Amino acid sequence: MRLTALPVGYLPLIDCAPLVVAREIGFAAEEGLDLLLHPAASWSIVRDMLTFGRVDAAHMLSPVPVAGALGLGARDAALDAVSVLSINGNVIGVSAALADRMAAAGHGFGFDDASAAGCALIAVAPSPLRIGVPFPFSMHAELVRYWLSGLDLPHRPDIVICTIPPAMMGEAVRAGEIDAFCVGEPWGSKAVDAGFGKLLLPGTAIWSFSPEKILAMRADWPVAHPDLSARLIRAVWRAGRWLSDPSSHTLAAEILARREYLDVAPEVIERALSGRILISSDGDMRQVERFVLFHESAAQLPWRSQGEWIARRLAARTGLCEFDAARRGSAVFRTDLFRAALATTSANLPSASSRVEGAPKHDTAATHIRGGAILYRNVFFDGGVFEPAFS
C-alpha cells in the first residue's frame, strides 16, 4: 500500500510517545500514513511550524489553541485540539539550595500533598520566587498559578514565571536563573540525575486529570482533508491504547530513547511511563499512581470543559470577558471531530462532551456509548469544582 506522507511537529518529551509509537509500531501505516516527525527545540517553534504550514499537525500544549482563540500570543492561524495526547506527566522541582532550606525547616518531601509542599516552599522561598515553565500558555503555568494562589497563607512572595525550553530546565536551575520549575518528563528527572535540584510534587497532586498535550491542527485543515485528519486521529488513538498496556513500557522506552527522538537513557523514560519517579540524586524514589495517561478513562477525548477551564483561567489573568472566553475555549476542543474519526472503531467514549471538572472524587462508572467503563477520579488539590457553561 502506498502511504501518504504527513508531516507532524513535536517536542522531545515523554508525552510525544503516541506520535512516535504510531509511526514506529505501525499504527500510522495501518491507516495509510507515513508520519514524518519533525522535532523542535521550543514550543514557540512547534506552534509556528504548524501555523505557517510546515507541518499539518503537531504535539502541542493544551492551552495554545485556547490562547489563540482568545487573541493571546501568535494569531497567524486558528488552531484546534482534535485529540488529547496525554493526561498529566509533569513534575515540580526546586533547586538544590532551596530543597536544603525546605528540609532544614522540616519538610519531608512526601511528594503527594500539594498544600503541605506549597506552604513549605513559600515559607523559605526568596522573593521574587522565580519558577521556570516551558511556555507562557501551558498547563505547567496554569497548574503552578492555581496551586500557589490556592494556598491559605497570610503572606506570599512575588511569583515570577520564566519561560525555559524543557531540555534547558536543569541547566537554568544550575545557573541560578530560576529557583523552581514545572516541566514534563524526562527533563525533571534529568535535572535530578545531574544533582541540580530535587522534585517536590507530581502535577497529579495539583489536578489529578490534567489535559497536558493535545494533537493540534489548523482549524481549516480537517475541513480540507477530513479523511487524512480522521486517519491520523485513529492512528494516535491506537498508539495511546498500546501505550496503556504496562507490558509495552520497555519497548516504548527503547524507541523513545533513540537519538532521533529523546536521546536519553531508556531507563529514565521507563520510570516515567510506569510512574516510578526519582525525586533526588541520592536514590529516593516515589511511586505515583497514574503519573501519565495515554488512553485509560477516555484520556484522549478532548473534553470541551477542559478547553473552557483553560479559557477562564487565561481570561481571569488577562482581563478578558470570562464568559466569551469560555465559549471560545470550549469550541476549540473538537470532540465532534474526535468522535467522527473513531466512529468505526471499538472506542468506548462517554456520551457527554463536557463534564464537571473536579468531580468525581473517586473512580466511577460512567454512561458510555458502548458498554460500561470507569472514569478515573478527577480532583483539584483544594477540592475545587469547575462547572462548565457549555455542553
Side-chain angles (χ1 to χ4, degrees), residues 130-132 162 164 168-169 171-180:
R130 302 162 301 167
I131 303 179
C162 308
I164 309 287
M168 299 300 295
M169 204 68 76
E171 180 58 28
V173 173
R174 185 202 66 78
E177 297 171 5
I178 54 176
D179 307 299

Side-chain angles (χ1 to χ4, degrees), residues 88-92 143 182 201-208 210 291:
N88 305 327
N90 293 324
V91 291
I92 294 171
L143 289 176
C182 181
L201 285 173
T204 56
I206 300 171
W207 184 5
S208 68
S210 169
F291 175 74

Side-chain angles (χ1 to χ4, degrees), residues 6 8 15-23 26-31 33 35 37 57-59 82-86 213-217 228-244 294-295 299-301 338 341-342 345:
L6 192 67
V8 179
D15 49 36
C16 74
L19 290 169
V20 173
V21 164
R23 174 177 173 79
F27 299 113
E30 289 175 6
E31 291 287 345
L33 300 176
L35 292 191
L37 300 181
H59 166 233
V82 301
S83 174
V84 172
L85 292 178
S86 63
K213 301 301 189 309
I214 54 148
L215 179 64
M217 297 177 184
L228 280 179
S229 64
R231 283 194 267 162
L232 178 57
I233 291 169
R234 285 194 296 270
V236 170
W237 176 78
R238 291 189 173 98
R241 183 176 60 180
W242 183 86
L243 282 161
S244 72
F294 296 106
H295 180 74
Q300 292 158 294
L301 179 71
F338 185 78
L342 297 182
T345 72

Side-chain angles (χ1 to χ4, degrees), residues 14 19 47 124 255:
I14 295 292
L19 290 169
R47 178 199 60 198
V124 301
I255 293 171

Side-chain angles (χ1 to χ4, degrees), residues 43-80:
W43 287 113
S44 59
I45 294 175
V46 176
R47 178 199 60 198
D48 292 347
M49 289 165 62
L50 181 58
T51 57
F52 293 121
R54 182 181 167 193
V55 296
D56 294 325
H59 166 233
M60 185 67 69
L61 297 156
S62 58
V64 169
V66 178
L70 272 53
L72 302 172
R75 287 170 275 179
D76 300 287
L79 304 179
D80 282 341

Side-chain angles (χ1 to χ4, degrees), residues 35-358:
L35 292 191
L36 307 178
L37 300 181
H38 295 271
S42 71
W43 287 113
S44 59
I45 294 175
V46 176
R47 178 199 60 198
D48 292 347
M49 289 165 62
L50 181 58
T51 57
F52 293 121
R54 182 181 167 193
V55 296
D56 294 325
H59 166 233
M60 185 67 69
L61 297 156
S62 58
V64 169
V66 178
L70 272 53
L72 302 172
R75 287 170 275 179
D76 300 287
L79 304 179
D80 282 341
V82 301
S83 174
V84 172
L85 292 178
S86 63
I87 296 293
N88 305 327
N90 293 324
V91 291
I92 294 171
V94 296
S95 69
L98 195 48
D100 288 343
R101 292 203 292 274
M102 293 177 69
H107 184 59
F109 288 86
F111 211 59
D112 59 356
D113 188 332
S115 293
C119 291
L121 171 62
I122 295 303
V124 301
S127 187
L129 174 61
R130 302 162 301 167
I131 303 179
V133 300
F135 199 65
F137 305 117
S138 63
M139 284 306 300
H140 313 82
E142 297 311 318
L143 289 176
V144 165
R145 287 187 169 99
Y146 185 90
W147 170 47
L148 295 181
S149 67
L151 298 173
D152 184 17
L153 295 171
H155 305 289
R156 66 189 73 234
D158 292 333
I159 306 296
V160 176
I161 303 295
C162 308
T163 300
I164 309 287
M168 299 300 295
M169 204 68 76
E171 180 58 28
V173 173
R174 185 202 66 78
E177 297 171 5
I178 54 176
D179 307 299
F181 58 83
C182 181
V183 72
E185 283 290 80
W187 303 113
S189 289
K190 291 288 287 182
V192 167
D193 288 344
F196 299 155
K198 186 169 183 174
L199 299 186
L200 184 60
L201 285 173
T204 56
I206 300 171
W207 184 5
S208 68
F209 207 88
S210 169
E212 177 53 33
K213 301 301 189 309
I214 54 148
L215 179 64
M217 297 177 184
R218 294 182 302 279
D220 60 354
W221 198 78
V223 177
H225 306 280
D227 181 58
L228 280 179
S229 64
R231 283 194 267 162
L232 178 57
I233 291 169
R234 285 194 296 270
V236 170
W237 176 78
R238 291 189 173 98
R241 183 176 60 180
W242 183 86
L243 282 161
S244 72
D245 184 346
S247 68
S248 73
H249 291 170
T250 299
L251 178 55
E254 291 172 355
I255 293 171
L256 289 164
R258 294 175 187 169
R259 180 172 298 178
E260 64 266 35
Y261 296 127
L262 272 63
D263 194 22
V264 300
E267 55 266 27
V268 174
I269 297 171
E270 188 168 3
R271 287 202 310 255
L273 292 175
S274 61
R276 292 181 295 109
I277 307 301
L278 186 70
I279 72 165
S280 65
S281 57
D282 62 8
D284 196 3
M285 189 84 71
R286 299 286 187 274
Q287 182 67 45
V288 181
E289 184 181 20
R290 300 166 185 171
F291 175 74
V292 61
L293 299 175
F294 296 106
H295 180 74
E296 309 96 307
S297 186
Q300 292 158 294
L301 179 71
W303 292 91
R304 287 164 57 86
S305 48
Q306 293 172 341
E308 185 175 336
W309 184 89
I310 294 167
R312 286 188 181 269
R313 297 286 304 173
L314 293 176
R317 66 180 175 87
T318 56
L320 298 175
C321 171
E322 288 193 35
F323 184 81
D324 182 61
R327 177 180 59 82
R328 293 173 183 268
S330 174
V332 301
F333 270 51
R334 298 297 303 274
T335 313
D336 57 330
L337 294 180
F338 185 78
R339 290 187 191 283
L342 297 182
T344 59
T345 72
S346 61
N348 192 10
L349 301 177
S351 55
S353 295
S354 193
R355 63 179 177 176
V356 176
E357 301 294 344

